[in-house]
Amino acid sequence: MYEFLTGPALWAAFIVFFGGLAVRIAYLYGLSMERDRVFYNHMDSKWALKSIGHWIIPLGSASMRQQPIFSIVVFIFHICLLVVPVFLFAHNMLWSESWGVSPWSMPDAVADVMTMLVLASGVFLILRRIARPEVRILTSAWDYTLLILTLLPFITGFLAYHQWGSYETLLILHILSAEVLLVVIPFSKLAHVVLFFFSRAFIGFEMGTRRGARAW
Amino acid sequence: MSEEIKKPVNIRKIKELLDMNDGARVRTWLSICSRCGLCAESCFFYLANNKDPKLSPAYKVKATLLELYRRKGEVDYDFLNRTREIVWGQCTMCKRCSQFCPFGIDVATMISLVRTICESQGVVPEGLARTTENIRVSGNQMAMATEDFVETCSWMAEETSEEIAGLDIPMDVHGAKYMYTVNPREPMYYPQDIAMAAKIFTVAEESWTMPSTGWDCTNLAMFSGNRAVAAIPVKAMYDKAIELGVEKIVITECGHAFRSAAFEGPYFVGRRDGKPPVPVIHSVQVFYEYLRDGRIKIDPSKMLEEPVTYQDPCNVSRNGGLWEEGRKIIPYLAKDFRDMNPNRDHNHCCGGGGGFIPMGPEYKARRMASGRIKAEQIKATGAKIIITPCHNCFDQINDLVKEYKLGVKVVSFKDLITEMMIIPEKFQPVENEEEMEDAAGEGTEG
């Protein structure tokens, strides 16, 4: 099982993840050439970068400043979510075993804290969805499913690292849930990992290049 | 409308519109909205109505466009009528929410698409249906005849030349620098607005002209969702400007006219580059330049002493980029300026935009309720005078003043500039005639 999940299944997950995102972008690009002239007519890298930049730095936009706690939690959530899997020592060991090279690894203690931050902020996001009427009304079961799907690799990885429960089972669940997540990303709202940059760029031109107004 | 309802919904047409607009942007927006709810607090409908979650921009899209795509356009009149109440009764397409969305989702563009779909089935507020029909048959929203317009202009020229010597309202002058376009309500109900513009242009010694066609720069079909009709006044204006060979088209103190002529109009008439064939500028820009360059001088003794505030029309400021120009005019006119909060490109819509005012009495109660945010903003400044370069803001704030007993006077830039500007010697009327000064037609708008 372990061999299958870290072998062919992992290959498949990565191919679907990168391939899926690439196909989705290629498809949208094709559509946009025909139906979204407005995107290309007012393109301007300065406003695109400003529009993206203000929403990547913490509290960089008026909107984020209106809900500072949520915004900072979201920021922590995303940073830890991206950093932990890439710079985890245990992951990098696997990279060097199969390819001979790996990224720099962070200390396990840091990864541990960051994982807890992902989990804590994930719980916060779930509670916020329930607590705030304007968020609850928009939320469907799928939104909770995606959030839990995102948290599962972290829960299982965290438990496995601390060997709380059966290590083998947890490890299998960890790899499996991470692979499911990778496969789901290109086909769900989680595709915002890349589409964020396009939609932000567009509103940057639309408000900024055309009218000089801030989209943040 | 009641006759329309008996017709079956033309599902094919809806499907066609959905398909035509199913581009990369709409697809991306509908699929990545993370349902975070941040847009809610950007919307004055939501803020003014007890934070009803159904008034958050994301919900309005979810309940309308997303639902239309989900049902593949197979909807009934019941759905369309409910949708009408959302896309016209709960949104002015002010675009503020796209500034507050982490993904920059352009809700107004999607609401506009839903309006187009509803309109294709005859589901549209009556006031807008009427004006759209006017544009279709006459080329302007009030179905004013060309002769009447031309006559009104010459009447105003005659009348005003008694105040300013040599004043003229030139018509169809080839090669003029500016072609001045207006809102039909000016020639119809407030001709003194045209007279005021003429005074300013005359004193600034501007090379300008009125066009005898294509003079209506407003575009209520843009708000009724009928894009084919929305192209009519835009095309007439562009064609006239090209025919006259003017340098620029100037838009009167109207917000949505600027949005139509400068930003959306090029797409209505199918210009692939998205730019108007002749540059379009707003009166705010023109007036600012006159004051800055000293072409218009203000009599300091006439400057306003009372506290003054400024209503940023969405389509002049956020969607027109002129919030600073507006603010730079004010120090010439007023001594005590107090800004609203939020302001500039982050301003709140007054509640009269997006076609709300012409939607008529049926929608007035809602317009007054959601205007509470603007009323509170105005009250907080303590201002006694509010300047706004937009006819819709003007009407809405006048209504708000009555509804919320604000005790504020609403004025346009033209009102103030013509009242305070110094008339140079050469434009002083020669007082050799015995006639009494006819004060009729004087005074401010409203």
Side-chain angles (χ1 to χ4, degrees), chain A residues 24 35 63 129 200 210 214, chain B residues 31 34 99 102 263 345:
Chain A
R24 187 157 176 185
R35 299 181 179 180
S63 183
R129 276 204 183 282
R200 278 244 60 88
R210 298 187 84 186
R214 295 164 289 176
Chain B
S31 63
S34 291
Q99 294 177 303
F263 302 102
D345 47 344

Side-chain angles (χ1 to χ4, degrees), chain A residues 24 27-28 35-36 38 41-42 55 63 128-129 132 135 138 189 199-200 206 210-212 214 216, chain B residues 19 22 24-25 31 34-36 41 95 99-104 263 267 272 319 321 323 345-346:
Chain A
R24 187 157 176 185
Y27 176 73
L28 289 173
R35 299 181 179 180
D36 301 85
V38 63
N41 281 342
H42 314 284
W55 280 91
S63 183
R128 179 178 178 274
R129 276 204 183 282
R132 291 190 79 114
V135 191
L138 299 171
K189 69 175 187 181
S199 66
R200 278 244 60 88
E206 178 65 11
R210 298 187 84 186
R211 311 152 198 263
R214 295 164 289 176
W216 54 85
Chain B
D19 184 56
D22 190 14
R25 287 174 306 142
S31 63
S34 291
R35 288 95 167 81
C36 71
E41 287 179 354
K95 278 189 176 235
Q99 294 177 303
F100 284 73
C101 168
F103 297 156
F263 302 102
Y267 289 97
R272 247 181 100 72
N319 301 323
W323 58 91
D345 47 344
H346 280 164

Side-chain angles (χ1 to χ4, degrees), chain B residues 287-425:
Chain B
F287 298 161
Y288 163 62
E289 287 170 6
Y290 288 163
L291 290 162
R292 178 196 65 191
D293 302 341
R295 293 172 68 177
I296 295 283
K297 290 199 174 66
I298 298 295
D299 180 349
S301 70
K302 291 185 179 163
M303 277 176 77
L304 296 171
E305 306 275 351
E306 308 98 306
V308 169
T309 190
Y310 182 59
Q311 156 63 8
D312 281 290
C314 300
N315 294 323
V316 172
S317 289
R318 169 172 40 258
N319 301 323
L322 296 174
W323 58 91
E324 290 306 336
E325 284 76 1
R327 275 172 185 71
K328 283 178 192 161
I329 295 177
I330 296 170
Y332 290 99
L333 309 173
K335 290 179 179 164
D336 181 3
F337 173 61
R338 303 174 182 188
D339 223 333
M340 283 187 224
N341 188 28
N343 55 44
R344 295 180 162 81
D345 47 344
H346 280 164
N347 78 314
H348 276 296
C349 171
C350 61
F356 229 110
I357 294 271
M359 271 150 53
E362 196 190 331
Y363 288 86
K364 185 166 179 201
R366 272 173 276 184
R367 178 153 66 76
M368 288 299 98
S370 46
R372 185 172 58 84
I373 298 299
K374 185 53 65 187
E376 283 168 2
Q377 273 188 291
I378 297 169
K379 204 178 250 174
T381 64
K384 292 281 160 244
I385 292 175
I386 177 164
I387 307 174
T388 190
C390 168
H391 295 110
N392 281 320
C393 294
F394 190 97
D395 286 353
Q396 166 73 349
I397 291 173
N398 260 327
D399 284 346
L400 290 176
V401 168
K402 285 176 218 142
E403 178 83 13
Y404 294 92
K405 304 192 171 45
L406 298 174
V408 176
K409 187 173 176 227
V410 194
V411 294
S412 68
F413 278 127
K414 275 194 290 288
D415 288 328
L416 295 179
I417 292 173
T418 49
E419 218 166 277
M420 298 179 191
M421 70 182 172
I422 298 169
I423 312 289
E425 197 73 46

Side-chain angles (χ1 to χ4, degrees), chain A residues 24 189, chain B residues 22 24-33 35 61-62 65-67 69 105 110:
Chain A
R24 187 157 176 185
K189 69 175 187 181
Chain B
D22 190 14
R25 287 174 306 142
V26 169
R27 248 171 210 246
T28 301
W29 292 331
L30 290 178
S31 63
I32 67 173
C33 169
R35 288 95 167 81
V61 171
K62 187 179 179 228
L65 191 58
L66 192 63
E67 194 58 21
Y69 275 113
I105 294 174
M110 291 195 278

Side-chain angles (χ1 to χ4, degrees), chain A residues 32 38 44 139:
Chain A
S32 70
V38 63
D44 178 279
T139 302

